[in-house]
Amino acid sequence: MATDSEDLTEFAEQIADQVRSFLISVRDIAAQPDEDGIDEGLASLPYLLLEVSQLLLAGGRLGAFEDFVPEERFESDAGPDPDLDTMRDRLAVLFEGLDEYAEVFDPYAAPPEITVNRLSDDLTAIATDLVHGLAHYEDGRVVEALWWWQFSYVSTWGAAASAVLRAIQSLIAHDRLEPAHDPETEATDRELVEVAEEAVQRR
């Protein structure tokens, strides 16, 4: 891959744009009112599916790139990371009943370790990693931003985003492929069964 200054600047800008898009979307989703409870969480899943998929594409590009090496030996001070606990709490409320999911921590471990994760925790952890790199980028430390995003993709947020994506895909599949719970239909089905049983008994 080309690594000259112009190409690197354009590449960093594309990654930064995707990072911003993800952060804006997650914050907007977390800010939704929770009047309808679980339905609001389900309604947000297609948007999250798109944003997490796009973010993983950016991560894949970072992972495929040669290792970025910061100009300084030690990481520059990017300032304090923002407090995202409020966003985490709002996401937990939004995804009440959907938040926890099971995940294989390391598919190559013997035996594989099953962990219980939370969408709210994972989305917040991903956002924290991305915000840290974005601070470097917005302060003009382009290579350091790319280094951080690449390093944290391989070490933390890449795996977390992949797990979140699988969980969201599963929720959408359950919602769209499983028959909806309809009390009236179930009552009608029970009546038909009773009528059929009575007819059999009369024979």
Side-chain angles (χ1 to χ4, degrees), residues 165-176:
L165 183 64
R166 286 191 293 272
I168 293 172
Q169 287 173 327
S170 179
L171 286 170
I172 289 176
H174 284 297
D175 181 54
R176 295 184 179 178

Side-chain angles (χ1 to χ4, degrees), residues 52-173:
V52 175
S53 297
Q54 293 288 348
L55 182 65
L56 281 170
L57 174 59
R61 296 179 68 194
L62 287 164
F65 217 100
E66 64 187 44
D67 288 349
F68 295 103
V69 179
E71 296 175 359
E72 301 294 333
R73 182 178 179 184
F74 299 102
E75 183 184 2
S76 303
D77 183 9
D81 290 332
D83 185 357
L84 299 180
D85 285 345
T86 300
M87 186 181 81
R88 183 201 312 272
D89 293 342
R90 291 290 305 136
L91 288 171
V93 171
L94 183 68
F95 293 122
E96 184 178 1
L98 308 173
D99 204 16
E100 289 191 353
Y101 67 97
E103 171 66 9
V104 177
F105 179 70
D106 182 353
Y108 288 101
E113 179 185 354
I114 306 297
T115 62
V116 177
N117 299 350
R118 292 183 177 87
L119 290 173
S120 56
D121 287 344
D122 288 345
L123 288 168
T124 304
I126 294 166
T128 300
D129 280 339
L130 297 177
V131 166
H132 186 85
L134 192 60
H136 283 309
Y137 179 81
E138 292 179 341
D139 282 345
R141 296 185 293 273
V142 173
V143 175
E144 196 152 10
L146 290 171
W147 164 78
W148 173 259
W149 282 326
Q150 184 186 62
F151 168 75
S152 56
Y153 166 75
V154 174
S155 61
T156 54
W157 70 260
S162 296
V164 166
L165 183 64
R166 286 191 293 272
I168 293 172
Q169 287 173 327
S170 179
L171 286 170
I172 289 176

Side-chain angles (χ1 to χ4, degrees), residues 29 32 36 42 77 90 117 154 157 193 197:
I29 288 170
Q32 291 183 73
D36 297 328
L42 284 173
D77 183 9
R90 291 290 305 136
N117 299 350
V154 174
W157 70 260
V193 170
E197 289 176 347

Side-chain angles (χ1 to χ4, degrees), residues 4 16 18 21 26 28 38 70 72 75 78 105 132-133 167 170 202:
D4 60 65
Q18 188 55 59
S21 177
V26 173
D28 286 348
I38 194 170
E72 301 294 333
E75 183 184 2
F105 179 70
H132 186 85
S170 179
R202 293 196 198 100

